[in-house]
Amino acid sequence: MSVGPRTRTLLKTTTPARRLDVAASFEALTQACVATADDAGRAELVSDSPNHLWSPPASRALAIVHPDPDEAWALIKGAQFLRDHRVAVTSPWYRDVRACAEGRAVTFWPDPGQRSPDTSLSAWVTALTHRIDPASAPWLREHDPFAGLLDGLDDAPLDDTARRFLRERAARLREEWDYLDWPTPDSVVLGALGMAPVHDDGTHVGLLLRRPLTRGHREWDLVAARWRSELLTGPREDHRTYADTYLSYEREDQAVDHPYIGAWSGYQVVRDVVVLTAVMDTVRRARLDAGARRQAAHRLACLRGAHPAPWNWGPR
């Protein structure tokens, strides 16, 4: 296949399993580009999590290869829904989904530019999303972080002890989750594992959706933002800015009874579910190459207590 120089370098240094994965993704991209009269020739793989994101050559567009058409349609529908509610979000380049072989589908999006380091922008789009009445979108699926959480565990390069630990932890957290006392009503949630990724192309600032919207508890988004920024990757001031900005957009009828999400009694349970979700994302990718296996082993060791929180999460 023909791909850009950075992707060719990746394919030379990775495992056969990952090469096959990237090749199948590129084939789906090529099929989609034939239908849209775009050029996939020297496309570069920008990211492969949570799905494959490609940058075609000489183009201001990005292409996302989805594992199934339903997810692709949900992403396009969600982006339009947010735009209808005046949330700054990147609209799809084409308003339809390009179905491809092996059940994959491709969507195209304008290149949103670099991710902004301004955490207040993430708080802004998150707060505006949470203000939307979920009754206006009856098509939204319920947010269930345990659905598919352990998918791929049996095929991951782990020993039986590690697999048993992950299953037991998921079962315990499921039980604790079911007994949580949620302090706010249901809302539209982004469902990410960190702050909403807001981009800036020099003219517009907006969110690039990578996961479909869901109906659930806004505490998930707030806990994920705090965990990633305060405990792992950023100074406390970043989350303080995020929290202050978010609170300034709160609706009076949906105000929380705690100034910062870390003060909520259910914070630790939701944080632990977010963390387990992040670990399982890495575990599923452990088959791809030696680097992914090392990262999965390290994060699993962090989860099992080898490092005190905030964990030494290793190279990112």
Side-chain angles (χ1 to χ4, degrees):
M1 64 178 177
S2 173
V3 292
R6 284 185 289 123
T7 305
R8 281 203 306 273
T9 299
L10 167 69
L11 294 174
K12 290 176 182 177
T13 59
T14 192
T15 61
R18 193 175 194 186
R19 284 196 290 272
L20 289 173
D21 197 37
V22 173
S25 176
F26 181 74
E27 175 61 26
L29 173 66
T30 301
Q31 291 178 28
C33 285
V34 168
T36 61
D38 290 305
D39 178 19
R42 291 171 61 81
E44 295 283 13
L45 182 64
V46 178
S47 168
D48 61 358
S49 180
N51 36 39
H52 283 193
L53 182 66
W54 290 88
S55 175
S59 172
R60 295 189 61 194
L62 295 174
I64 300 178
V65 178
H66 304 265
D68 68 83
D70 287 345
E71 178 195 280
W73 279 113
L75 208 65
I76 286 182
K77 193 171 185 177
Q80 185 58 52
F81 175 72
L82 289 181
R83 182 165 287 276
D84 290 344
H85 284 81
R86 301 183 183 279
V87 178
V89 63
T90 299
S91 295
W93 195 274
Y94 305 113
R95 294 185 180 274
D96 57 354
V97 171
R98 308 293 167 169
C100 304
E102 300 182 9
R104 289 180 171 84
V106 181
T107 56
F108 291 85
W109 307 80
D111 188 338
Q114 295 295 316
R115 180 165 178 171
S116 173
D118 186 350
T119 59
S120 66
L121 295 177
S122 180
W124 169 54
V125 299
T126 303
L128 292 181
T129 300
H130 291 173
R131 287 170 64 96
I132 301 172
D133 182 358
S136 63
W139 44 270
L140 287 176
R141 293 182 178 179
E142 287 291 323
H143 176 235
D144 179 5
F146 295 92
L149 176 62
L150 299 182
D151 285 357
L153 180 57
D154 289 338
D155 297 326
L158 301 175
D159 58 33
D160 289 340
T161 301
R163 292 194 184 94
R164 183 167 56 252
F165 168 80
L166 290 169
R167 290 194 181 95
E168 291 175 352
R169 189 170 184 85
R172 178 179 61 79
L173 288 174
R174 169 90 252 190
E175 183 176 355
E176 293 177 352
W177 175 277
D178 289 340
Y179 283 96
L180 280 173
D181 182 17
W182 299 99
T184 57
D186 281 2
S187 64
V188 180
V189 295
L190 299 170
L193 299 179
M195 288 188 180
V198 178
H199 298 257
D200 185 353
D201 65 2
T203 304
H204 301 100
V205 173
L207 169 71
L208 176 66
L209 279 183
R210 295 287 300 275
R211 301 172 186 266
L213 299 173
T214 55
R215 175 191 179 112
H217 302 288
R218 59 175 167 157
E219 284 74 22
W220 174 275
D221 289 341
L222 300 180
V223 170
R226 181 180 189 268
W227 174 68
R228 286 295 282 260
S229 68
E230 185 171 297
L231 298 184
L232 290 179
T233 61
R236 292 179 181 271
E237 307 84 71
D238 285 351
H239 187 262
R240 176 74 62 169
T241 300
Y242 176 96
D244 288 345
T245 303
Y246 181 88
L247 291 171
S248 72
Y249 280 90
E250 273 200 324
R251 286 170 42 176
E252 292 184 3
D253 61 336
Q254 293 185 359
V256 296
D257 58 1
H258 43 268
Y260 297 102
I261 192 64
W264 174 45
S265 61
Y267 169 77
Q268 184 170 334
V269 173
V270 178
R271 185 205 67 184
D272 287 351
V273 179
V274 172
V275 171
L276 181 59
T277 305
V279 171
M280 278 305 306
D281 279 356
T282 307
V283 165
R284 272 187 289 275
R285 300 177 70 249
R287 65 180 179 82
L288 297 180
D289 55 41
R293 284 196 297 274
R294 286 194 298 270
Q295 187 179 62
H298 179 76
R299 293 191 174 192
L300 183 56
C302 292
L303 192 62
R304 299 177 77 172
H307 304 283
W311 298 280
N312 171 18
W313 213 237
R316 297 181 56 73

